[in-house]
Amino acid sequence: MEDDPQDAFIVRELLEDGDLSVRLEWARSLDEARHLLAQQRVQCVLLDLGLPDARGLSALAAMREASGDAAVVVLTGLAEEQAGLAAVTAGAQDYLVKGRVEGEWLGRTLRYAMQRKQAEQAAVALHAERLRAEENARLERGLLPTPLLQQMPIQVATRYRASRVSGTLGGDFFDVVEDDDKVVHAMIGDVCGHGPDEAALGVCLRIAWRTLVLSGVTGTALLRQLERVLRAERGGDEIFVTMSTLALESDQRTVRVWRAGHPGLLVHSGSSVTWAEPGIGPALGLPLESEWEPTELELPAGGGLTLFTDGLFERRLPGDGMRLLGEEGLLAVARRHAHLNGEEFVDALISGTEQATAPDASADDVAVVHLRWKEEQ
C-alpha cells in the first residue's frame, strides 16, 4: 500500500530484480486495500504509514485487522526509522526504510516476514490448544469425579468421550458415592447443548447431587432439589437436563431407580445383558408437573448395571444417513461383550458402538458408568 506512484514503481522494480516470485497489487489508500483484500488472499502487505486515509500506527492496526493471516512489512522514510521500530512493536513483522532497500534485501525481508507470521500463528494455535487442555482438565475434575466408596464390594468403571466437534468436555456428568448406611448411590446426567456453559452447569449439578446424597436426601426429594438448582443456575428457560439416579442397597440385590427423561440402562446377570426401562418422569427443568416415582429392580448375585448418555447409541449407521444404532443396536453390542467385566466391558462397549456406526463429526459426548457387585469367593 503506497500513495506515491514513484515509490510504488521502485518497489515493483526491486521485486522484479530479486529472486522472489510475486504477484503485486497496488493500493493507493486503506479503503482501496480493504477492497482488494476482500476479493483475494494475500501472503504479505507492504504498508506505507502515511496513507491519505490513515497514518501511523492507526494505519497498521487497521491493516492488520483487514489482512487476516497476511504478514505486514512497514515502509518508512529516512527520517522515520523510529516509526518502523514502533510498528514492529505494535505487531508488524518487519520494517524497511525507503531509499535503503535493494532487490535481494527486499525479497529476503518479505520471505522472512511471512515465515515469522507463520511461526506466530503456530505459537498462537499451540497456546490455544494448551488453554483448551487446561480447561478440559479443570472441567474433568468437576464433571468426572473419583467414586467415593468405603466398604461395599462393588466394581466401578467409568468413561467419558468428548464430542469431536470441539474436543472440549460438554454437559455429560456422573458420580458414585457410598453413604454411611452402606447404600451405593450412582447418577448420570446430560445437560442439553454442548459447550463451556453446559459443562459448568453439569459440574454444579454433580456437586449438588453428591452433597445432597451425603446429607441424606435421595430419590424424588433429591430430584426436586436438583431441579431448583438447575432453574437458578441455567442460562435460559430452554435448558433442561436428563438424569438417572439410583440406590444399590446393602443386600447387593435390590436397586431403586429414578429416571428424569434419561435413557434406560443395561442389566448384567452372569454373562448375559438385558435392557431395562424403569419408570420415567420428565427431564429436569421442563415446564411440566414433575413427579418421579422409583422403580425397584432385583439383581442376581454378582449382578450389575451400566448407565450411559444418549451419545452412546444415537449414532448414525454406515450407508444410511437417517438410521441410528438405537437401543437395540447398543444392546446387541453389549451382548457380544457380556463375558467381559469392569473396565474391559466399558471399553469394548464404546469401541463396539464406534465400529458399528459411521464416523460422525457431529457425534455427541458419551458418558458410561458400569457398576457390578463382586461375587463372594
Side-chain angles (χ1 to χ4, degrees):
M1 294 172 55
E2 174 63 67
D3 61 332
D4 188 327
Q6 183 176 352
D7 286 340
F9 175 79
I10 292 172
V11 168
R12 186 181 295 275
E13 289 292 308
L14 289 172
L15 287 173
E16 290 178 353
D17 291 342
D19 60 354
L20 183 64
S21 177
V22 299
R23 175 185 173 187
L24 190 64
E25 296 285 350
W26 177 28
R28 297 167 180 78
S29 66
L30 179 62
D31 187 61
E32 188 176 336
R34 283 176 174 150
H35 181 71
L36 284 172
L37 289 167
Q39 295 179 328
Q40 55 188 288
R41 183 178 180 275
V42 301
Q43 293 178 282
C44 188
V45 174
L46 273 169
L47 173 65
D48 185 354
L49 293 180
L51 296 172
D53 53 353
R55 303 189 67 82
L57 295 183
S58 62
L60 173 62
M63 180 46 52
R64 290 185 66 209
E65 181 180 356
S67 61
D69 296 338
V72 178
V73 176
V74 166
L75 291 170
T76 68
L78 291 173
E80 299 173 330
E81 188 163 355
Q82 290 302 315
L85 291 171
V88 171
T89 302
Q93 275 62 56
D94 209 337
Y95 77 96
L96 293 168
V97 179
K98 296 177 184 179
R100 294 183 179 176
V101 181
E102 297 179 357
E104 183 179 351
W105 187 5
L106 176 59
R108 186 166 60 246
T109 298
L110 298 183
R111 188 180 296 110
Y112 289 169
M114 289 184 283
Q115 292 174 347
R116 277 194 290 274
K117 182 67 175 181
Q118 292 172 357
E120 290 171 9
Q121 291 171 331
V124 168
L126 181 62
H127 180 63
E129 183 64 28
R130 186 180 297 115
L131 289 178
R132 186 168 67 178
E134 292 173 356
E135 178 187 4
N136 270 1
R138 288 192 296 271
L139 290 172
E140 184 171 350
R141 287 193 294 271
L143 287 169
L144 320 176
T146 301
L148 186 59
L149 300 172
Q150 301 180 73
Q151 303 178 37
M152 298 306 290
I154 192 167
Q155 298 176 337
V156 179
T158 63
R159 291 291 185 275
Y160 187 99
R161 291 284 182 88
S163 164
R164 295 183 184 179
V165 174
S166 65
T168 304
L169 295 174
D172 291 12
F173 56 100
F174 55 77
D175 204 352
V176 180
V177 300
E178 178 185 335
D179 66 21
D180 292 337
D181 295 325
K182 299 183 180 180
V183 177
V184 176
H185 302 266
M187 170 271 291
I188 193 164
D190 185 358
V191 181
C192 71
H194 188 281
D197 292 339
E198 288 76 10
L201 183 55
V203 171
C204 178
L205 292 171
R206 201 280 304 167
I207 294 173
W209 180 90
R210 176 174 283 202
T211 302
L212 288 164
V213 168
L214 293 177
S215 300
V217 182
T218 61
T220 302
L222 170 63
L223 290 172
R224 286 175 180 158
Q225 293 301 322
L226 290 176
E227 186 166 54
R228 289 183 62 190
V229 173
L230 169 62
R231 292 184 185 279
E233 298 292 337
R234 64 185 178 182
D237 292 344
E238 73 283 358
I239 302 298
F240 65 90
V241 174
T242 68
M243 179 183 292
S244 287
T245 183
L246 52 85
L248 294 91
E249 299 292 341
S250 58
D251 63 8
Q252 302 182 31
R253 296 294 182 92
T254 306
V255 182
R256 287 175 294 129
V257 183
W258 293 261
R259 283 203 300 159
H262 203 75
L265 59 152
L266 299 174
V267 179
H268 300 255
S269 175
S271 60
S272 67
V273 180
T274 58
W275 185 280
E277 285 282 351
I280 190 169
L284 304 182
L286 295 180
L288 301 170
E289 289 295 327
S290 302
E291 288 297 332
W292 302 282
E293 298 295 335
T295 298
E296 189 169 299
L297 304 178
E298 191 75 16
L299 293 179
L305 302 166
T306 300
L307 308 172
F308 42 84
T309 52
D310 57 13
L312 187 62
F313 61 88
E314 289 187 350
R315 299 176 58 91
R316 301 189 186 281
L317 293 173
D320 190 330
M322 300 301 293
R323 292 181 59 223
L324 301 178
L325 176 67
E327 298 167 354
E328 291 185 3
L330 175 59
L331 180 58
V333 173
R335 284 174 170 166
R336 286 200 296 271
H337 303 290
H339 61 285
L340 301 175
N341 204 354
E343 308 280 348
E344 292 182 346
F345 173 78
V346 174
D347 288 336
L349 185 66
I350 294 175
S351 62
T353 58
E354 291 176 346
Q355 293 169 10
T357 55
D360 187 355
S362 63
D364 199 0
D365 299 340
V366 172
V368 180
V369 178
H370 177 73
L371 308 131
R372 192 155 191 169
W373 292 112
K374 300 175 183 177
E375 296 190 60
E376 296 182 3
Q377 301 299 319

